[in-house]
Each structure stands twice: as structure tokens, then as C-alpha cells.
Amino acid sequence: MKTHTIGIIMNGVTGRMGTNQHYIRSILAILKQGGVRRGDDEVIIPRPLLVGRNAAKLERLAAMGEGVRWTTDLDSALSDPANAIYFDAQTTGLRAPAVQKALAAGKHVYCEKPTATTAAVAYDLYLRAKQAGVKHGVVQDKLWLPGLRKLKTLVESGFFGEILAVRGEFGYWVFDGEHIPAQRPSWNYRKEEDGGIIVDMLCHWRYVLDNLFGPVKAVSCLGATHIKQRWDERGRPYTCTADDAAYATFELANGIIAHFNSSWCVRVRRDDLLTIQVDGTRGSAVAGLRDCWIQPAHATPRPVWNPDLPNPINFYEHWLRVPDYEAYDNAFKVQWELFLRHVVWDEPFPWNLLEGAKGVQLAEKGIESWQRRAWVEIPPLAP
């Protein structure tokens, strides 16, 4: 069997997402399964090099795998020709300069989103990667969630007929940290540290909408900072300067209207932390992270508005659960495997830095809409 050993610089793996989703559940999981195979003749074996500022954390993470390398010197990692891929999961403000260095060093680039703090810088990263002639990609993990994969199958099969509208509800109650530890880092709530839910989540909604329903044409967005004070990781109170909720409506190029509520200040009374409802002329569906429910037109109940009597309809009874037709792997791991196949075997990978720039652009236009209190058009970014 032909073995392709490929060095991967993993910068920022000491953070929550970098550690859990990208290192443990993706790269270490790929190593545990014996690499990424193409038939019985070829296999890709990733060789991670963990990079960060905290040597003690890096050493502990490296000990979780066999022969995993680590360093606090990014420049030395980039200068080593054995490291073909640079991956970035740092905080947003640190990402673009590091990706620029990696591109200048001729590395293939795969990184988290947002890819930059402004659309102009994010688009410039794409142009630099294109000029360098390297492979490049951005994490768009929700496309491989089981619930959204089932939803995409319904779209492609014509289940909905004409799709009319999409409604997304995302979020949960993030504790302020005073008495109960917060589930998210404090920088998320500081605008001066590139925090804010608009920057964080509209990047996601861009690729979900573009890939499942149609290109985003315009946005109307209202942000809010509902919780004014929180407590950081050391128990110190601080003033929140970034938005912790966003209420955004999107007009798609094909006429579909989508609305997403995103909030870190909402208590959940729905099927999952993220639910997306799609309504069409022939049927509707509601997808969560893993499950998806459908209601065809011929099984839709006929409610009548009468608030003077108890409603006789149990609306949940009229939905059918979409079966699991296949085994679903971790969404981050699935995309990692696709990117590795793209680098080594040149298999298609359309989720590149241009798509990352589109996500930053939508977040930027969402903030502009909030500031202007107006609809804002989304101009196309040239490939």
C-alpha cells in the first residue's frame, strides 16, 4: 500500500474547538482508524505538529497521541518542508497574519472561520492563496451535521415543492460566570477582542443558506447586547461590549426568505440547540443537529383559530422522523478527510477561502444593517 505521510501544523489547538473538534475528534480519530484510505492501494497518514503559546498545554495534548510533535515556534514549523498543511484555530484577530505567513511559506491552508476580522482582509487571503497556487479551505462544519444532511436530501429530492421560507433558531443560555461558570470564553463578549454573535454566527448562516437553499442577496439585521456584565475566567467582572443576540432576515437570490435568531441569552424550549424549519408548497421539515422531521402536504392538519376553546390538535403528532439511512461521522472529521483527499489526490473541495470571505462579508453587512437600520445588499465576490 502506498502511504502519503503529510505534516500538519495545527495552530491554536489549546482552545476549546481546536482541542476537541479538530485535534481529538478529527486528527487523532483519523490516526486511530488508520488514516484516510483510497481503496486498498493508498492511504493518507496525518502527522500533526501542535503549535501555541502555552508549552505545558501543548505537551499534555501531544501526550494524547503517539509521537505527536509540538512547538511554540511557528516560524520553525513553517520553515520545515515536511509540514505541508497549515491549520489555524486561533482567535479571529490572530488568524489572518498567521495565514498570510503560511501562504508566503507555500503551505496549503485550512482554517476556522471567521477567516479574518474584515471582508477585505478575508478576500485578500483568498487572492493570496490563489496567487500562491496552494490548496485552501475553510471549516464549514454544519454542512455535515446529520440533521442538515437529511435536510439537503429532502431539498434535492423535491420534497418541498416550491420552498417559501426558512426559519432558524440557534442558541442557549450562557451563564454570566458570577455563580455558575460560563460555557463560552469571555472574549466572545468583548468587541475589542473581535467578539460578538453576529461575527460568530452569520458566517455559519451564509454557507448553510448558500449550499442548501440559494445565494444570499440581501440582509436586514438587528443586534443586541442583552447581558451588560459578565465574569471572566478568573472571576473578575467586566462590561460586555459585543452583541450577544442577533435577529437577521435574509433575502435569497431565488426569492426564498430566511430568518435566523441567534442568541446566547435564550432558554431552550425546542428540539435542539439549532433548529431549521423549511416550509414549501408540498411539505415542511424541521432539522436539528442530528434529527429531521417532516410533514407532507397531505398530512398537514387544518387548524382553526379559536382562542376561546382548548386547541384540539397536538401539533407534534403530525410529524414523521426521517430515518438514519447511514452512519454519520463527526462533521469536523468528515471535512478534514475531504480536505486531506483534496490536497493529496486533488479531489474536489469547493469550501475554500473565497467561501470563508463570503461568510465574513455577510457578518460585516449584518453589522452595517444594524448600524444603518436598513436592508443591505450583498455584492458578489469575484472568484
Side-chain angles (χ1 to χ4, degrees):
M1 178 179 290
K2 183 177 182 179
T3 300
H4 304 271
T5 301
I6 187 163
I8 304 175
I9 301 166
M10 302 189 72
N11 194 2
V13 289
T14 55
R16 178 175 57 93
M17 291 289 289
T19 294
N20 296 321
Q21 296 292 5
H22 293 289
Y23 178 54
I24 297 175
R25 296 171 193 168
S26 294
I27 297 302
L28 288 186
I30 289 171
L31 287 169
K32 186 176 181 181
Q33 74 183 16
V36 179
R37 292 179 180 267
R38 183 166 70 169
D40 296 326
D41 302 322
E42 290 186 79
V43 64
I44 303 169
I45 302 296
R47 186 168 180 253
L49 170 59
L50 311 184
V51 178
R53 292 170 292 182
N54 190 316
K57 286 184 178 180
L58 292 170
E59 189 173 16
R60 284 196 298 269
L61 288 173
M64 299 176 69
E66 185 176 342
V68 175
R69 305 165 296 157
W70 65 271
T71 182
T72 58
D73 187 351
L74 176 59
D75 290 335
S76 68
L78 290 172
S79 65
D80 187 346
N83 300 319
I85 296 174
Y86 172 79
F87 170 71
D88 195 295
Q90 300 182 95
T91 57
T92 307
L94 299 175
R95 184 161 300 131
V99 170
Q100 289 169 355
K101 291 178 70 172
L103 291 172
K107 307 300 180 184
H108 305 297
V109 167
Y110 185 53
C111 67
E112 263 291 355
K113 76 252 145 249
T115 52
T117 57
T118 69
V121 173
Y123 184 62
D124 178 68
L125 291 180
Y126 163 69
L127 295 178
R128 289 177 185 233
K130 185 178 178 181
Q131 184 177 16
V134 298
K135 305 289 179 62
H136 49 97
V138 63
V139 178
Q140 304 201 327
D141 54 284
K142 288 180 173 51
L143 296 179
W144 290 275
L145 290 172
L148 270 69
R149 288 177 65 181
K150 296 170 188 175
L151 193 59
K152 184 175 178 62
T153 299
L154 292 171
V155 173
E156 293 174 342
S157 68
F159 167 80
F160 297 103
E162 179 188 355
I163 296 178
L164 308 173
V166 179
R167 296 174 178 84
E169 288 285 344
F170 165 80
Y172 46 95
W173 187 265
V174 177
F175 288 92
D176 62 18
E178 182 179 15
H179 303 295
I180 298 175
Q183 308 97 297
R184 300 190 65 88
S186 58
W187 70 263
N188 282 171
Y189 305 94
R190 296 187 176 102
K191 180 58 67 177
E192 60 273 22
E193 295 182 32
D194 306 306
I197 201 166
I198 294 177
V199 169
D200 193 357
M201 295 311 303
L202 263 65
C203 293
H204 287 285
W205 307 150
R206 179 68 187 264
Y207 70 74
V208 168
L209 292 171
D210 280 1
N211 283 273
L212 268 66
F213 306 108
V216 179
K217 177 184 175 183
V219 60
S220 172
C221 182
L222 178 66
T225 306
H226 290 309
I227 306 297
K228 312 299 183 186
Q229 180 175 263
R230 293 180 179 269
W231 280 255
D232 66 16
E233 291 76 5
R234 297 184 180 181
R236 301 171 300 189
Y238 66 94
T239 300
C240 300
T241 54
D243 42 285
D244 55 20
Y247 310 92
T249 303
F250 309 99
E251 180 187 6
L252 307 191
N254 53 16
I256 295 174
I257 303 300
H259 181 85
F260 277 72
N261 292 327
S262 310
S263 178
W264 290 322
C265 315
V266 60
R267 294 178 175 89
V268 179
R269 194 176 190 272
R270 55 183 184 271
D271 295 312
D272 215 328
L273 299 185
L274 167 65
T275 57
I276 298 176
Q277 178 163 338
V278 183
D279 293 306
T281 55
R282 295 182 183 173
S284 296
V286 177
L289 300 179
R290 301 197 63 83
D291 285 320
C292 185
W293 297 263
I294 58 172
Q295 185 175 102
H298 63 267
T300 302
R302 184 176 179 273
V304 177
W305 178 263
N306 187 352
D308 297 322
L309 295 174
N311 197 313
I313 301 173
N314 183 340
F315 291 102
Y316 283 94
E317 291 180 348
H318 297 270
W319 293 82
L320 300 172
R321 181 180 176 273
V322 177
D324 293 331
Y325 292 110
E326 59 181 296
Y328 298 100
D329 209 343
N330 177 279
F332 291 85
K333 177 173 173 280
V334 171
Q335 196 180 7
W336 259 109
E337 291 181 343
L338 291 171
F339 186 71
L340 289 172
R341 299 176 75 93
H342 176 57
V343 170
V344 176
W345 295 316
D346 202 30
E347 294 186 5
F349 192 89
W351 311 281
N352 58 19
L353 285 173
L354 177 60
E355 298 305 301
K358 290 179 182 178
V360 179
Q361 179 196 42
L362 184 60
E364 197 169 80
K365 294 299 182 182
I367 293 172
E368 179 185 341
S369 170
W370 175 19
Q371 293 171 339
R372 291 175 49 197
R373 291 185 173 266
W375 276 94
V376 174
E377 296 289 321
I378 311 296
L381 295 176

